Amino acid sequence: MKIAFIIILAIAAAVMLLFFALGMVSWSGEPPGLVDGGLAKCPDKPNCVCSEYGEDRAHYTDPLQFPPGGQADALPLLKSLIEEMGGTVLAARDDYLAATFSSAIFRFVDDLEVRVDGARRQIHIRSASRVGYGDGGVNKRRVERLGKLYAARLSAR
């Protein structure tokens, strides 16, 4: 019984060390940025959502719509909402914004990117984990929360 407990404890410690190591590895990455003028496609893992590619139903999320003030109001509003949600904005320009979020325990880094599509009057969003396979739906919930906060802020104007 004592040996089984020691083995279980050793396995748990090894798993914890692995998660801490993966968290540290995720710090060294960076957002994929724009690829041919659009957000990067999601990899074949369930830890990513993106509004750019409707044909990828497994990773698809709805884009946001322009605010009544137009494109100029969209990114400053999203930037402030992302910061309120605990994100760190890394880059912001007229049609693109990149931010990161870190998990509380193992400090895994997730990228959140926003691209303004002026022609379609939409705001595309991509949120993905830098490492690992699954994320327990964290990225999808983050994008949904951002969308709800965005809609609430627009309706309060």
Side-chain angles (χ1 to χ4, degrees), residues 19-20 22-23 26-27 101-103 105-110 131:
F19 281 136
F20 277 114
L22 284 173
S26 73
W27 299 347
F101 286 84
S102 297
S103 64
I105 298 174
F106 297 110
R107 309 301 298 161
F108 289 112
V109 176
D110 294 342
V131 297

Side-chain angles (χ1 to χ4, degrees), residues 15 17 36 43 60 107 120 124 138 140 150:
V15 168
L17 285 173
D36 296 327
Y60 184 75
R107 309 301 298 161
R120 292 195 171 108
H124 288 289
V138 169
K140 183 169 182 59
Y150 178 78

Side-chain angles (χ1 to χ4, degrees), residues 1 18 23 31 38 42 49 64-65 75 83 88 95 103 109 117-118 121 140:
M1 190 71 162
L18 175 65
C42 287
V49 294
L64 302 176
Q65 301 305 312
L75 285 182
E83 290 170 343
T88 302
D95 63 345
S103 64
V109 176
D117 184 346
R121 301 187 52 80
K140 183 169 182 59

